[in-house]
């Protein structure tokens, strides 16, 4: 099901379904010599501008460090840990390619208010992510613990509210 899939990727701050493939597509366009064309499209095509700006906002909500924490604490398989590292590398590639299209030095350089709002939320969301990782770790060994179940629901709701989306 798509909704739980997207929701889970939002909770761990990788938000994978929203950007996966975009970095590779932009990189391929750059390698074909389309940089000027992409920048022109960003400057002059409202739909392309809105799409890139939306992806930029999503990338600004991602948190590589938090996503890595979920992997470090909760993932036991070496193959799955390698996959997590690969996805985080792809996240960074996507950010670099998007910044190249927009010619910004940093994400949300053209939307200072949103950038500030996200920066103000992070000190509240990050501790919830850290707590959620620990709750999940404990739930794995005590899945029927009602206090842990309640704590998990609270962490899910808190992260979703702080991210200002549910996935």
């Amino acid at each position: 099901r798509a909704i739980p899939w997207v929701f889970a990727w939002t909770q761990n701050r990788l938000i994978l379904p929203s950007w996966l493939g975009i970095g590779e597509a932009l990189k391929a366009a750059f390698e074909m010599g389309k940089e000027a064309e992409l920048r022109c499209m960003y400057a002059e095509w409202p739909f392309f501008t809105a799409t890139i700006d939306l992806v930029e906002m999503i990338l600004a909500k991602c948190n590589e460090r938090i996503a890595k924490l979920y992997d470090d604490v909760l993932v036991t398989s070496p193959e799955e840990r390698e996959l997590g590292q690969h996805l985080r590398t792809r996240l960074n590639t996507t950010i670099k390619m998007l910044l190249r299209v927009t010619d910004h030095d940093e994400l949300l350089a053209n939307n200072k208010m949103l950038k500030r709002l996200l920066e103000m939320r992070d000190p509240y969301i990050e501790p919830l992510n850290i707590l959620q990782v620990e709750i999940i770790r404990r739930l794995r060994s005590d899945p029927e613990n009602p206090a842990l179940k309640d704590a998990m629901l609270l962490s899910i709701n808190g992260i979703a509210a702080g991210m200002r989306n549910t996935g």
Side-chain angles (χ1 to χ4, degrees), residues 129-147:
N129 284 116
I130 293 165
L131 285 169
Q132 186 178 75
V133 168
E134 180 59 21
I135 293 164
I136 293 169
R137 188 188 68 73
R138 291 182 186 192
L139 271 170
R140 286 181 174 174
S141 60
D142 190 7
E144 298 306 316
N145 184 318

Side-chain angles (χ1 to χ4, degrees), residues 26 28-42 97 99-103:
L26 293 174
F30 286 129
E31 289 170 354
M32 294 179 348
K34 303 287 186 182
E35 183 165 354
E37 191 172 335
L38 287 170
R39 286 188 175 171
C40 179
M41 289 169 59
Y42 180 71
M97 295 301 106
L99 290 174
R100 198 166 154 191
V101 169
T102 62
D103 200 26

Side-chain angles (χ1 to χ4, degrees), residues 19 28 42 48 50-51 58 74 116 121 123 129 141 147 166:
W19 57 262
Y42 180 71
F48 188 75
T51 301
I58 291 163
L74 302 173
R116 183 68 185 128
R121 287 187 221 150
N129 284 116
S141 60
T166 58

